[in-house]
Amino acid sequence: MELVLNPFSITLLISGALVGLLSTFIAIRLGDSTRWIALTMLSASIWGLFYGLELSSNTQEAMLLFIKFEYLGILSTPAFWLIFCMKYTGMRSKFLKLIYFLIGAIPAVSYLILLTNDFHHLHYVQTAVNDQGPFPVLEITIGPWYLVNIFYTYATFVIGLIILWTRFHNADPFYKTQTKFIFVAGIVPIFINLFYQLDIIRVYSEIDLTPYAFLFTYLILAFAIIRFNLFSIKPIAKERIIETITRGVLVIDSSLNIVDINPALKAFFKNPESVKTGENLKVILKDYQVILDLIQSNEPKFIEVQDATFDERKVIRIECIPILERKSSLSGSVLLFEDISEEVLTKEKLQTQAKELQQLNNLKDKYFSIISHDLKGPIFGVKELIHLTQSGIISQEEFMTMMPEISKNMENVAILLENLLAWTSSQIRGEFLQLSDFNIQPVLVQQKNLLERIAKEKEIEIKVEGEREAWVLADKNMIELVIRNLLNNAVKFSGLHGIIKMSTKTEDQHVSICIEDNGSGISEENLTKLRNRISFTTKGQHNESGTGLGLILVNEYIAKNHGSLEIRSELGKGTTFCIQLPLGTKTS
């Protein structure tokens, strides 16, 4: 039988074993009522221990085997709890033996039904292994007798709590106070189980947190032992139980003075020597008002704190559990500190990776769409035109009249193909950055000359202004592609007789290159998409098509060259793209 340990099972195995040892010691060494609370916790430890083994199993057969042992604890815990409440309160009745028999009868019958479940399916109708989470867990479809067990468990705990309340709510304050701790120890696990059964609190859909609740309530009992000498095992219970808890535990009184701490708490403070019994929390946490507000709210709740006192980023969950003496009187609080940095960072990393993967998938889909439509269409059109000319269907004169339109289409295809190749290179094998000092002004002139013919067809004037020499430190090939795409966009969205200005300006640490047109402009919605690097396409002034790929490359290449892009636009008035690139070391 192969067992694969995980954080949930390891916690249960360690804590279950420790609680089992302590409970056995208590049951052997101490008095009558104490022995029954020890047996209650021993049953809970059996439950937790074998539940830990169940969570370590990866086969249904092993899980069902451990459940048979697990139910020894599940069924006996409520029975021992009720007997403890009766013993602790000194309950007397001439039918006491009959009551004890009835308390134990249902668990005995339930266990027999569990062992023979394959013949009648009264407990579980069916079981299956769920492999969707981080480790396999057992899914069950409950039968009618399962509900009987649930009712029995809740009934025994409620009856026990009623017995405690009835006996001690008017008793001496000493007994009332210590009974409240026992009351909490009984009610917390049953509420956790109730929330689990009602699907209010679930971890990975099927993990039951009730065994963990029993461990936590044992901590409360340990606190009661220290404060009220509830039992005679104070040194053992306190030291052994509180030290097994991996979360930091801080117990304070109503004046925020520290009553007790556990060793794990020290790790949550940069100066752990300042955190000690008797110190006031207001002094220690003077820079963390949010934690003090949590305590003073007198409500059980938790917060998450970004801790900046450590070198690396820390996210700490702090849970506050108030200890109420009366309805409106706070006698103290228990604070639980847990480092969830790894959990938060992993979640953020997964969200970022999911977002990046979605973007890559969208780009992949766009890539194939471009190939199948924007690239394939013009090329196949030219192929068909040549075929028609060769077949004599179209004369050479007609072919020559179509040449300007064909030439314009091929120029668009050439720009598109260049962008496709650049984008594919960056996505598949990454781009190797070749930084060098170069004068950006000749690049602007070169790109103007390349697109001059297309601009003249729309009677658009392209002007190059600014300094004669503006040296930048960047990858020249990448910046040429950036300028070409932005200039091509300016031509595309400019109307007849439009004017496009390209200018440079050298500043302290960078060179600003602006491409300004007086075309159709960009809507606020599309401006937001551009700033968020979301791809989209729009038609030009003369219905020129686009793919949105050029602006993706513009953003990507500017970022790789340690630059930035500023976009200003107004519908109907035009658009200005300004690129800031690092200043080159060479000057005029």
Side-chain angles (χ1 to χ4, degrees), residues 45-245:
S45 71
I46 293 172
W47 179 0
L49 187 64
F50 285 101
Y51 188 42
L53 292 172
E54 178 193 334
L55 294 179
S56 301
S57 305
N58 54 17
T59 65
Q60 186 171 344
E61 292 77 15
M63 293 177 184
L64 291 174
L65 173 63
F66 289 127
I67 276 182
K68 290 181 172 62
F69 293 98
E70 195 178 317
Y71 262 79
L72 289 170
I74 293 174
L75 295 173
S76 59
T77 298
F80 288 146
W81 162 260
L82 183 53
I83 294 172
F84 160 73
C85 292
M86 294 169 64
K87 293 279 189 179
Y88 182 71
T89 57
M91 183 177 174
R92 295 286 184 269
S93 172
K94 61 180 179 179
F95 303 110
L96 204 56
K97 290 184 179 180
L98 177 61
I99 293 172
Y100 288 158
F101 172 80
L102 293 175
I103 291 173
I106 291 181
V109 172
S110 296
Y111 195 70
L112 182 61
I113 289 174
L114 176 71
L115 294 177
T116 60
N117 188 72
D118 291 341
F119 299 100
H120 45 71
H121 300 289
L122 290 174
H123 198 75
Y124 298 145
V125 175
Q126 63 180 13
T127 59
V129 176
N130 183 350
D131 291 318
Q132 298 304 311
F135 52 87
V137 292
L138 189 68
E139 287 185 345
I140 63 170
T141 303
I142 64 174
W145 197 261
Y146 184 96
L147 298 176
V148 172
N149 282 330
I150 292 294
F151 176 80
Y152 170 80
T153 300
Y154 292 166
T156 52
F157 271 88
V158 169
I159 292 170
L161 293 171
I162 292 173
I163 291 172
L164 287 172
W165 177 257
T166 304
R167 176 68 175 83
F168 289 109
H169 78 283
N170 288 322
D172 183 87
F174 174 82
Y175 292 105
K176 284 179 64 176
T177 303
Q178 67 182 25
T179 302
K180 286 177 183 178
F181 285 98
I182 302 173
F183 199 92
V184 171
I187 204 168
V188 169
I190 206 66
F191 266 102
I192 294 295
N193 186 265
L194 179 62
F195 291 155
Y196 168 76
Q197 299 294 343
L198 294 177
D199 281 341
I200 297 174
I201 297 178
R202 290 266 178 155
V203 178
Y204 298 126
S205 77
E206 294 299 325
I207 296 179
D208 187 357
L209 295 180
T210 312
Y212 296 93
F214 273 107
L215 178 62
F216 180 72
T217 58
Y218 213 40
L219 170 63
I220 296 178
L221 286 177
F223 175 68
I225 291 168
I226 299 166
R227 180 84 180 268
F228 305 108
N229 197 24
L230 188 60
F231 305 125
S232 59
I233 60 159
K234 178 174 62 175
I236 299 175
K238 186 263 180 182
E239 293 173 7
R240 295 293 299 275
I241 295 173
I242 202 170
E243 288 180 7
T244 62
I245 298 176

Side-chain angles (χ1 to χ4, degrees), residues 251-262:
V251 184
I252 57 174
D253 61 18
S254 57
S255 300
L256 272 63
N257 294 315
I258 298 176
V259 176
D260 202 1
I261 61 174
N262 74 334

Side-chain angles (χ1 to χ4, degrees), residues 157-388:
F157 271 88
V158 169
I159 292 170
L161 293 171
I162 292 173
I163 291 172
L164 287 172
W165 177 257
T166 304
R167 176 68 175 83
F168 289 109
H169 78 283
N170 288 322
D172 183 87
F174 174 82
Y175 292 105
K176 284 179 64 176
T177 303
Q178 67 182 25
T179 302
K180 286 177 183 178
F181 285 98
I182 302 173
F183 199 92
V184 171
I187 204 168
V188 169
I190 206 66
F191 266 102
I192 294 295
N193 186 265
L194 179 62
F195 291 155
Y196 168 76
Q197 299 294 343
L198 294 177
D199 281 341
I200 297 174
I201 297 178
R202 290 266 178 155
V203 178
Y204 298 126
S205 77
E206 294 299 325
I207 296 179
D208 187 357
L209 295 180
T210 312
Y212 296 93
F214 273 107
L215 178 62
F216 180 72
T217 58
Y218 213 40
L219 170 63
I220 296 178
L221 286 177
F223 175 68
I225 291 168
I226 299 166
R227 180 84 180 268
F228 305 108
N229 197 24
L230 188 60
F231 305 125
S232 59
I233 60 159
K234 178 174 62 175
I236 299 175
K238 186 263 180 182
E239 293 173 7
R240 295 293 299 275
I241 295 173
I242 202 170
E243 288 180 7
T244 62
I245 298 176
T246 56
R247 291 192 291 178
V249 179
L250 176 64
V251 184
I252 57 174
D253 61 18
S254 57
S255 300
L256 272 63
N257 294 315
I258 298 176
V259 176
D260 202 1
I261 61 174
N262 74 334
L265 183 73
K266 299 283 188 177
F268 294 91
F269 291 85
K270 194 169 186 179
N271 298 314
E273 63 279 357
S274 65
V275 185
K276 54 188 176 182
T277 304
E279 296 294 327
N280 192 276
L281 211 58
K282 287 183 180 179
V283 177
I284 298 172
L285 297 178
K286 60 183 179 181
D287 297 327
Y288 291 91
Q289 185 61 41
V290 64
I291 303 177
L292 298 176
D293 292 341
L294 170 70
I295 299 168
Q296 291 166 356
S297 69
N298 296 348
E299 295 179 7
K301 61 170 73 171
F302 70 87
I303 58 171
E304 292 180 3
V305 177
Q306 300 274 352
D307 196 332
T309 61
F310 293 86
D311 294 335
E312 70 277 7
R313 180 188 174 194
K314 288 267 188 185
V315 183
I316 299 171
R317 179 185 287 133
I318 303 172
E319 183 177 359
C320 178
I321 304 169
I323 304 170
L324 297 173
E325 190 70 30
R326 295 181 180 86
K327 287 186 178 179
S328 60
S329 176
L330 183 73
S331 64
S333 299
V334 177
L335 296 181
L336 300 178
F337 291 70
E338 182 178 7
D339 186 350
I340 59 170
S341 305
E342 187 174 349
E343 174 187 336
V344 171
L345 292 175
T346 300
K347 183 179 179 181
E348 290 176 354
K349 185 177 180 181
L350 288 173
Q351 289 174 340
T352 302
Q353 289 176 341
K355 184 177 179 180
E356 291 174 350
L357 182 61
Q358 184 62 47
Q359 290 174 342
L360 284 175
N361 282 335
N362 292 340
L363 287 174
K364 178 204 68 177
D365 294 340
K366 180 178 285 293
Y367 175 81
F368 287 112
S369 172
I370 292 168
I371 292 175
S372 63
H373 183 268
D374 298 271
L375 192 59
K376 175 183 172 184
I379 292 176
F380 272 56
V382 172
K383 175 179 174 293
E384 184 65 21
L385 185 61
I386 294 172
H387 172 71
L388 292 174

Side-chain angles (χ1 to χ4, degrees), residues 374-478:
D374 298 271
L375 192 59
K376 175 183 172 184
I379 292 176
F380 272 56
V382 172
K383 175 179 174 293
E384 184 65 21
L385 185 61
I386 294 172
H387 172 71
L388 292 174
T389 304
Q390 287 178 335
S391 303
I393 298 173
I394 294 177
S395 66
Q396 290 187 2
E397 291 76 11
E398 291 174 320
F399 179 82
M400 294 304 295
T401 59
M402 297 180 186
M403 278 299 293
E405 185 66 24
I406 295 171
S407 177
K408 185 172 75 172
N409 286 340
M410 287 300 99
E411 285 175 352
N412 289 332
V413 167
I415 292 174
L416 172 59
L417 185 58
E418 181 182 30
N419 284 340
L420 275 172
L421 291 173
W423 177 77
T424 304
S425 174
S426 68
Q427 296 302 317
I428 294 176
R429 59 181 176 81
E431 286 286 345
F432 179 68
L433 204 63
Q434 293 181 313
L435 296 177
S436 63
D437 283 323
F438 64 93
N439 185 5
I440 194 67
Q441 200 73 7
V443 174
L444 300 183
V445 174
Q446 177 194 26
Q447 299 308 312
K448 171 196 170 185
N449 294 336
L450 285 174
L451 294 170
E452 191 86 70
R453 193 184 62 77
I454 298 176
K456 284 181 178 179
E457 289 180 2
K458 296 175 71 174
E459 299 182 24
I460 295 171
E461 181 183 0
I462 302 176
K463 298 180 179 180
V464 179
E465 301 175 346
E467 303 155 333
R468 292 182 58 188
E469 292 192 2
W471 293 82
V472 298
L473 178 64
D475 186 302
K476 189 175 181 181
N477 290 329
M478 287 187 181

